[in-house]
Amino acid sequence: MSVEERIELWRRQAARRRVAIVFALAAPIACALVVLGARIGGAMLATLLAGIAIATSAAVAWRAWHRIDARWIAHRLDASAQAMEDSAALLFADDDRLSSLERLQQGRLRTRLIDLDADVRPSWPRRMQLASMGSALALLVVAAVWPAREAGLHRSNTVANSAIQTTTAITKAELDITAPAYTRLPARSESALDAKAPEGSRVAWRLRFDPQPTAANLQFHDGSHLALVRSGDDWQAERILAASTLYRIVLQGAPPLVDDRLHRLDAVADLPPDVRVIQPEKSLTLLDAQQTTWELAFEASDDFGLAHADLTLTLAQGTGENIAFKEQTIALVGEAFNAAHTMPHQRYRHVLDLAALGITKGDDVIVRLAVTDNREPKPNTTRSASFILRWPADASTDSAGLEGVVQKTMPAYFRSQRQIIIDSEALLADKPNLDDAHYMARSDRIGVDQKILRLRYGQFLGEESEGQAEHAPDTVPRDGGDSQAGALAGVHEAHENPGHAAAATKFGQEGDTIAEYGHVHDIAEAATLLDPDTKATLKSALNEMWQAELHLRQGHPDEALPYEHRALEFIKQVQQSTRIYLARVGLELPTPDEARRLTGERKDMSDRVGTLAAATATDATLTDLWRALAERGTPEWSAAETWVTAHQAGLPDALGVLAAIDRSRREPACANCRKDLRALLWSLLPTPAAGTESRTAPDDVGRGYLEAINAERARVDGSDSHASMRVSQ
């Protein structure tokens, strides 16, 4: 046996002896304590004392085991073996730090240690054993003289014991949670009355009370009840967790519970799948002449597993309004990222054969992936953004010889109303994959497109364009959705040029000046290019465009979509109109009354006082509750609970607010309860309406200033009256 093995053997022998000593000293006292506890408090107290004794003895034994280290072994060897010459510590020293003499001594000790027969175990503490047994005997004597606890007293005198007890305790509380099968989560048990579980889980209660009630049920915050059925000493019930809820245990035939607060069950919703497009990298890809295939790659993940993925292919052929669509759906098979977890995260790949698809020049291929999870009864579906593969058509030759004049392609910034709708829907589909900055930038760009289109149509109502004048659109949208704008622009230009190319004006002639420099078409009532009905329809379209642009520039394309669709409907109505008026009228303004100029006379003129609209009063239920909590008053608890329940869908944590209200109402003296409730209510309080302050009354200095002004005004008026009298005389 080597030196290291012999030392390790001694260390284990010493550690075992120490652990045995600890348990030998603790066992008599522990047994006596258990007997005394059973005598005083019954089986419950005895079990508690036994657990404490075992835990304490185990902790002391663990510490005693780990205190047997190299230093302790060295001390024991020096004390028990003279051959070590009080140098046993050299056996555990680092050779690099020893001197030559110490290395020589270390070698001698290692040689002696091979044949050394030593016992390093600690000796048994006889005196401490006697003391432990004496203490245990004393405890047993106390237990013998203590009055015995009558067994079965609680069961034989249930009515009398219930009258003595003032509260009921929950001695057992278990929640068995079984998640829906599609989640593949194992069943679990909770020892608390609050829990979180997937939506649709089956929750089973197993409760035990002391004393036992005659009936018990679960009362939920929405007013529903669930009766608890007694089975032996337990009370049981089951419920499907369809939504997050609060509940309270209500007993009959027993004192109230020690803790009768509301308990919370949170239903964790199944999230829709997350889809990420790997290839293509851009939403619009131009087809190369040599390209025969188009590679697509997607990734999808879900919290509980993916079911299937479908790739929708749409082939758009034709131009303008004569566009034909062919659509087909392909089921994709995913590849798991991890062999051990095949469902939550998968990758999908597909290669399109363009020749088999039948794409020709000028066509578009639009792809979109839809991924579905395993949620029951209705699965969640997530659709990716649409990606377009475009085969550009040949350039038009109608402008031959005018390359320097005609713009061959449509500016990238100009879109039709239909294209704006498509871009907005694509942005909403891409929202889960975009950060806030990119999402806001794309929405703002679509808002700019909407603004340009609004200005194009606005010129037909006499609206002044922003920036340089845009009397005639230079292009027509590619999809032909707003071709009326181009048609109207041509007539408008031919109609407007003569007015703008008037003859040279003559100085002092007002009509000639207006004819050359004026823009009478800048007034909507003077723009008679369209008939009144068409003009009203186009004005409605512009109003919808205004609203759509507002929401797009603010980063809310979802709120802009309804306005965009209505604008498109109005534009289609304008396209169907056929009446066009070429007559023009001049500007007709009401003739001012020259006699009242500079007189300050305001008779028959409307006053601007009171033009500020009064703020609409908001529901002050939460505000009143928040103030009453701060003033230590008695709030209207029922009104607050009713308000929170009615607005539960729009609040971030309605159940938390209801639980805080219930706790504050049941514990009026709890200052922390009120403080926590006020903190929850702060974020829910309505923003106060902006108001105007009345003019403050002038102080002494201000009144003196006003009196001086009035005195000076009276003096001037008196001087003027005397002068008038002298002139008349």
Side-chain angles (χ1 to χ4, degrees):
M1 182 181 295
S2 64
V3 175
E4 288 75 10
E5 293 175 349
R6 182 175 291 275
I7 293 175
E8 179 62 21
L9 176 62
W10 288 339
R11 190 195 68 79
R12 292 183 179 179
Q13 291 175 350
R16 285 195 291 267
R17 173 65 64 82
R18 270 204 154 185
V19 172
I21 291 173
V22 170
F23 283 107
L25 296 177
I29 299 178
C31 294
L33 285 174
V34 171
V35 174
L36 180 60
R39 188 76 173 179
I40 297 175
M44 183 177 295
L45 181 58
T47 304
L48 178 61
L49 292 176
I52 294 175
I54 293 174
T56 305
S57 301
V60 175
W62 181 86
R63 184 179 179 186
W65 177 281
H66 287 278
R67 290 188 64 181
I68 305 299
D69 53 5
R71 183 178 179 183
W72 190 91
I73 296 294
H75 283 296
R76 292 293 298 173
L77 286 175
D78 290 336
S80 60
Q82 295 182 358
M84 293 293 101
E85 298 178 352
D86 293 334
S87 303
L90 295 176
L91 295 173
F92 308 98
D94 190 359
D95 295 344
D96 297 336
R97 298 183 178 180
L98 298 179
S99 63
S100 57
L101 183 59
E102 290 174 336
R103 290 195 187 94
L104 179 60
Q105 180 67 4
Q106 184 187 51
R108 293 175 58 194
L109 295 179
R110 293 179 70 89
T111 303
R112 297 175 184 177
L113 192 63
I114 296 176
D115 300 329
L116 181 64
D117 185 13
D119 186 5
V120 299
R121 295 178 299 175
S123 58
W124 287 93
R126 304 297 179 182
R127 294 183 178 179
M128 294 182 66
Q129 282 183 318
L130 293 175
S132 175
M133 296 180 66
S135 300
L137 182 60
L139 292 175
L140 291 176
V141 172
V142 174
V145 300
W146 196 274
R149 184 175 185 267
E150 296 183 9
L153 180 62
H154 177 72
R155 294 186 180 89
S156 61
N157 301 286
T158 304
V159 178
N161 194 31
S162 299
I164 296 174
Q165 290 185 344
T166 59
T167 58
T168 300
I170 300 177
T171 59
K172 176 182 177 182
E174 292 184 359
L175 287 182
D176 296 332
I177 300 175
T178 304
Y182 76 88
T183 62
R184 294 180 173 84
L185 295 177
R188 73 179 195 272
S189 296
E190 300 285 346
S191 59
L193 295 175
D194 300 83
K196 291 184 178 181
E199 186 180 19
S201 299
R202 181 179 297 276
V203 181
W205 286 265
R206 291 204 307 271
L207 306 174
R208 185 176 299 176
F209 307 102
D210 182 21
Q212 291 285 13
T214 59
N217 62 80
L218 304 179
Q219 181 178 349
F220 295 88
H221 80 282
D222 59 358
S224 60
H225 294 78
L226 179 62
L228 290 167
V229 180
R230 185 170 182 177
S231 176
D233 292 337
D234 295 342
W235 294 80
Q236 300 178 357
E238 289 187 358
R239 179 186 175 104
I240 299 298
L241 187 60
S244 299
T245 184
L246 297 172
Y247 72 96
R248 176 183 286 108
I249 302 173
V250 180
L251 305 180
Q252 297 177 8
L257 288 170
V258 177
D259 183 8
D260 63 344
R261 64 183 176 87
L262 286 173
H263 303 282
R264 180 168 180 171
L265 293 177
D266 287 315
V268 181
D270 186 355
L271 300 177
D274 183 21
V275 179
R276 186 166 67 92
V277 180
I278 302 176
Q279 195 174 358
E281 299 179 353
K282 300 182 295 183
S283 59
L284 176 61
T285 304
L286 298 180
L287 179 64
D288 189 2
Q290 306 300 326
Q291 185 176 350
T292 59
T293 60
W294 192 24
E295 296 185 0
L296 305 174
F298 305 89
E299 286 184 5
S301 60
D302 188 69
D303 44 4
F304 295 123
L306 300 170
H308 54 82
D310 296 326
L311 182 66
T312 302
L313 303 178
T314 303
L315 177 62
Q317 296 178 318
T319 58
E321 296 292 340
N322 299 321
I323 299 179
F325 297 94
K326 296 180 181 179
E327 186 173 300
Q328 59 177 310
T329 303
I330 301 175
L332 301 183
V333 179
E335 301 174 359
F337 273 75
N338 189 346
H341 302 83
T342 58
M343 300 303 293
H345 197 177
Q346 293 192 359
R347 178 178 293 163
Y348 303 92
R349 296 184 181 275
H350 187 75
V351 179
L352 287 180
D353 186 352
L354 300 180
L357 195 60
I359 184 174
T360 59
K361 287 187 177 182
D363 295 348
D364 290 347
V365 178
I366 307 170
V367 297
R368 192 175 189 180
L369 181 68
V371 181
T372 304
D373 63 5
N374 293 314
R375 182 176 179 268
E376 295 176 354
K378 183 179 180 181
N380 294 318
T381 302
T382 300
R383 293 175 174 82
S384 69
S386 297
F387 290 83
I388 303 174
L389 176 65
R390 175 169 297 168
W391 190 344
D394 295 334
S396 176
T397 58
D398 295 342
S399 58
L402 301 176
E403 289 78 3
V405 178
V406 178
Q407 184 176 357
K408 297 183 179 181
T409 59
M410 181 188 69
Y413 57 79
F414 185 61
R415 296 290 186 268
S416 68
Q417 189 63 30
R418 182 179 287 106
Q419 184 63 42
I420 290 174
I421 295 174
I422 295 174
D423 292 345
S424 300
E425 293 176 345
L427 176 58
L428 290 175
D430 291 344
K431 184 177 181 180
N433 304 323
L434 300 175
D435 54 27
D436 294 342
H438 288 79
Y439 183 77
M440 184 65 188
R442 284 183 57 179
S443 180
D444 184 70
R445 287 197 296 269
I446 300 174
V448 173
D449 295 339
Q450 182 69 84
K451 169 188 174 182
I452 295 175
L453 187 61
R454 174 179 57 79
L455 295 177
R456 294 282 179 136
Y457 282 105
Q459 62 185 342
F460 306 119
L461 291 180
E463 294 185 358
E464 192 70 31
S465 62
E466 301 180 16
Q468 62 181 5
E470 298 182 11
H471 299 304
D474 53 355
T475 57
V476 178
R478 180 182 183 273
D479 63 354
D482 300 326
S483 57
Q484 183 73 11
L488 292 178
V491 178
H492 186 62
E493 180 68 18
H495 171 60
E496 191 173 322
N497 281 342
H500 288 283
T505 62
K506 297 181 181 179
F507 179 77
Q509 293 186 1
E510 180 180 356
D512 292 343
T513 303
I514 295 179
E516 180 171 4
Y517 300 105
H519 287 264
V520 293
H521 62 278
D522 291 343
I523 301 174
E525 287 70 22
T528 57
L529 179 62
L530 305 176
D531 63 276
D533 293 339
T534 304
K535 183 166 58 177
T537 304
L538 187 56
K539 182 179 294 186
S540 300
L542 292 182
N543 293 336
E544 301 298 331
M545 291 182 183
W546 267 110
Q547 295 297 328
E549 178 187 346
L550 169 66
H551 293 294
L552 287 170
R553 299 299 289 270
Q554 292 179 344
H556 302 295
D558 53 337
E559 300 179 9
L561 268 177
Y563 299 102
E564 296 174 3
H565 284 287
R566 287 196 290 269
L568 180 59
E569 292 298 326
F570 286 128
I571 291 174
K572 289 181 179 179
Q573 296 178 20
V574 173
Q575 292 175 350
Q576 297 172 0
S577 62
T578 57
R579 299 180 62 190
I580 297 180
Y581 290 92
L582 297 181
R584 300 191 63 174
V585 297
L587 178 64
E588 296 182 2
L589 296 177
T591 304
D593 186 0
E594 298 291 343
R596 298 178 58 178
R597 293 189 62 190
L598 304 179
T599 61
E601 178 63 35
R602 299 184 57 84
K603 185 179 180 181
D604 299 332
M605 297 182 64
S606 59
D607 194 357
R608 298 182 62 184
V609 177
T611 56
L612 292 177
T616 303
T618 58
D619 192 348
T621 303
L622 294 187
T623 304
D624 295 341
L625 175 60
W626 190 78
R627 291 174 178 171
L629 291 172
E631 298 170 356
R632 305 293 298 176
T634 303
E636 294 291 338
W637 300 113
S638 299
E641 288 182 344
T642 303
W643 190 94
V644 174
T645 303
H647 299 80
Q648 183 173 352
L651 301 181
D653 187 15
L655 295 183
V657 176
L658 289 174
I661 291 176
D662 181 80
R663 183 183 176 190
S664 299
R665 178 171 58 180
R666 289 177 172 268
E667 302 179 19
C670 180
N672 290 332
C673 301
R674 290 180 169 242
K675 181 179 179 182
D676 295 341
L677 178 56
R678 294 186 78 238
L680 290 175
L681 294 176
W682 175 252
S683 60
L684 307 180
L685 296 178
T687 303
T692 57
E693 296 183 358
S694 302
R695 181 177 296 175
T696 58
D699 53 8
D700 296 339
V701 177
R703 285 194 298 271
Y705 175 75
L706 294 177
E707 291 174 357
I709 291 179
N710 293 332
E712 180 65 20
R713 181 180 299 171
R715 187 187 64 80
V716 172
D717 293 342
S719 300
D720 293 342
S721 61
H722 290 304
S724 300
M725 292 176 61
R726 287 195 298 268
V727 170
S728 61
Q729 291 174 358

